[in-house]
Amino acid sequence: MKIGYGRISTADQSHDLQKDALTNAGCEKIFLDTISGAKAKRPELEKLKEQLREGDTLIVWRLDRLGRSLRDLIDWINWLEGQGVGFVSLQENIDTTSPTGKLTFHIFGAIAEFERNLIQERTHAGLAAARARGRKGGRKPALTPKRKEALNQLYNTKQHTIAELCEMFHISKRTLYSYVNAG
């Protein structure tokens, strides 16, 4: 069965273009959401997911109607493939029910993975360069050694509540406990 999915972001827009394209593509069922693509929970998409069966084909007007990012699209395609469901994007001419369509989508996936690896590589190189210049990563300590010592002395006297100490030193309880437990 061919099942269509369309999405518009606001009620000011219309589903008509997508609905017509999905109908012309032979979709027997069409699910339409009116919600931002940035939202992970899309009610009609959830219903559609429950309806899909092995041998079905999910059809969308454009890739961006289904996924919020390339990573999201790849996750969707992998999930569909695991369910034995094909995928067609009308505007991009991607059809994972054909060998060429599968290749095209896997090329997109490889490019996305390559990009993630480059970002990771640049991050590691940047951190190594900073360390070589004597810079440490992470946040600066909330208290100087002198103020840390004062905090520990006041804490050990037990004359102030934890809340009072936090207010005096402008720190959170978690920070206070990390300093007093560290010595």
Side-chain angles (χ1 to χ4, degrees):
M1 176 185 293
K2 292 180 178 181
I3 300 176
Y5 176 72
R7 181 187 58 77
I8 56 174
S9 299
T10 66
D12 297 346
Q13 298 169 330
S14 171
H15 287 110
D16 294 344
L17 174 68
Q18 293 177 58
K19 191 174 181 180
D20 291 347
L22 294 170
T23 301
N24 291 337
C27 293
E28 299 169 47
K29 290 183 180 178
I30 297 174
F31 294 84
L32 302 168
D33 270 322
T34 303
I35 192 165
S36 167
K39 302 287 183 193
K41 291 279 185 198
R42 295 184 240 160
E44 291 299 307
L45 189 57
E46 294 298 319
K47 288 179 193 173
L48 175 146
K49 202 172 186 179
E50 292 171 12
Q51 295 270 321
L52 291 170
R53 300 290 178 259
E54 187 173 345
D56 287 347
T57 301
L58 171 60
I59 301 176
V60 296
W61 178 64
R62 281 182 44 169
L63 285 172
D64 66 350
R65 301 297 87 196
L66 179 64
R68 302 178 309 277
S69 65
L70 185 55
R71 177 79 250 151
D72 193 35
L73 286 169
I74 290 167
D75 290 345
W76 258 102
I77 299 306
N78 288 337
W79 183 85
L80 291 169
E81 195 171 355
Q83 303 300 311
V85 175
F87 175 75
V88 172
S89 176
L90 299 173
Q91 291 296 301
E92 290 85 1
N93 284 324
I94 295 174
D95 181 350
T96 65
T97 62
S98 74
T100 304
K102 278 186 182 176
L103 174 64
T104 302
F105 205 83
H106 286 289
I107 289 170
F108 283 162
I111 291 168
E113 185 175 345
F114 176 69
E115 183 181 14
R116 281 192 306 278
N117 289 339
L118 282 178
I119 291 168
Q120 190 176 40
E121 202 174 276
R122 285 192 300 258
T123 301
H124 289 301
L127 290 171
R131 279 193 295 274
R133 289 189 306 272
R135 294 190 62 207
K136 289 182 185 175
R139 189 180 279 190
K140 287 186 168 63
L143 300 177
T144 64
K146 200 177 224 181
R147 286 178 52 84
K148 181 181 171 190
E149 187 181 322
L151 170 66
N152 275 302
Q153 287 175 353
L154 287 171
Y155 177 80
N156 290 330
T157 66
K158 299 184 191 294
Q159 293 179 356
H160 300 281
T161 67
I162 298 298
E164 288 172 338
L165 290 172
C166 289
E167 191 174 321
M168 275 190 259
F169 288 87
H170 304 288
I171 57 174
S172 68
K173 281 184 186 180
R174 175 183 250 166
T175 302
L176 178 137
Y177 285 118
S178 73
Y179 280 123
V180 296
N181 290 333

